[in-house]
């Protein structure tokens, strides 16, 4: 296994539509998935799509840790391991759109507020050829939609509606901390 180099925003591969994987059970696909899992874990990330590691194929790996799930019933952790989804299909499972902060390994150091469907259904296959079919919500749904976008040549800033909610993590953190301590308009602290 190996840690793979991650393509950063500006690399043309991130703007391409990825090709379907002809044989999800092929040994080279299993090796790619193993390397992507190792890269994901090394980066301590939630998801990683094949185009992000310079491979224009329709597959991604992801994990949803228990501490990241919301109170929504279908926002479920992926368990102790990482899920590999090959040739995924995502469809809406509701109409509600929510705006939440996202980051991306291909856009290091930045965060943005991105609108996404709160609830989706996704399907695909694993590297062993097992079918996957799940309906999820919350953070779980957000991660899958983010990674699916990578397969379609879309980076999260392309989905943003308000660029006032886009910036460097340390600046956004500093601004949020300052706003907590700022005096209320028309009055004094206290």
């Amino acid at each position: 296994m190996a840690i793979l180099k991650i393509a950063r925003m500006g690399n043309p591969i991130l703007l391409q539509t990825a090709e379907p994987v002809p044989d999800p059970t092929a040994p080279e696909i299993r090796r790619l998935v193993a390397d992507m899992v190792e890269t994901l874990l090394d980066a301590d990330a939630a998801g990683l799509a094949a185009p992000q590691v310079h491979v224009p194929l329709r597959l991604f790996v992801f994990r949803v840790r228990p501490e990241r799930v919301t109170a929504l019933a279908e926002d479920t952790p992926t368990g102790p391991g990482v899920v590999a989804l090959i040739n995924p299909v995502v469809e809406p499972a509701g109409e509600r759109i929510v705006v939440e902060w996202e980051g991306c390994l291909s856009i290091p150091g930045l965060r943005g507020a991105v609108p996404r469907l709160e609830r989706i259904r996704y399907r695909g296959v694993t590297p062993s050829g097992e079918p996957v079919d799940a309906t999820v919500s919350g953070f779980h749904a957000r991660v899958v939609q983010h990674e699916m976008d990578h397969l379609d040549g879309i980076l999260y800033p392309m989905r943003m509606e308000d660029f006032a909610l886009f910036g460097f993590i340390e600046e956004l953190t500093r601004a949020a901390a300052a706003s907590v301590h700022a005096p209320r308009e028309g009055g004094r602290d206290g």
Side-chain angles (χ1 to χ4, degrees), residues 40 44-48 61-65 68 105 139 143 147:
L40 173 91
D44 195 26
L48 182 65
V61 298
F62 72 100
R63 63 181 173 166
V64 178
R65 294 186 226 173
R68 298 300 304 265
L105 292 172
F139 183 76
V143 171
E147 299 311 322

Side-chain angles (χ1 to χ4, degrees), residues 5 8 23 25 33 35 69 84 90 100 103 124 135 138-139 147 151 159-160 162-163 166 181 189:
K5 183 174 172 136
R8 294 188 306 167
D23 179 3
T25 63
V33 167
D35 289 346
V69 299
V90 173
E100 295 287 341
T135 300
F139 183 76
E147 299 311 322
L151 305 185
R159 294 234 181 248
M160 292 181 61
D162 184 354
F163 281 92
F166 183 56
H181 297 98
D189 277 342

Side-chain angles (χ1 to χ4, degrees), residues 118-156:
E118 181 179 61
R119 188 169 182 262
I120 62 163
R121 177 183 181 197
Y122 65 86
R123 295 183 311 278
V125 296
T126 68
S128 60
E130 296 295 319
V132 175
D133 188 339
T135 300
V136 297
S137 60
F139 183 76
H140 193 142
R142 181 165 294 277
V143 171
V144 170
Q145 290 173 85
H146 179 108
E147 299 311 322
M148 187 69 179
D149 274 355
H150 279 299
L151 305 185
D152 294 328
I154 299 169
L155 296 171
Y156 78 81

Side-chain angles (χ1 to χ4, degrees), residues 6-11 14-15 52 102-112 114 116 146 150 154-160 163 166-169:
I6 296 172
R8 294 188 306 167
M9 186 169 59
N11 189 311
L14 296 174
L15 301 177
Q52 289 181 277
E102 290 186 22
C104 181
L105 292 172
S106 294
I107 310 173
L110 295 167
R111 292 278 184 269
V114 182
R116 297 219 185 255
H146 179 108
H150 279 299
I154 299 169
L155 296 171
Y156 78 81
M158 299 160 104
R159 294 234 181 248
M160 292 181 61
F163 281 92
F166 183 56
F168 288 97
I169 296 167

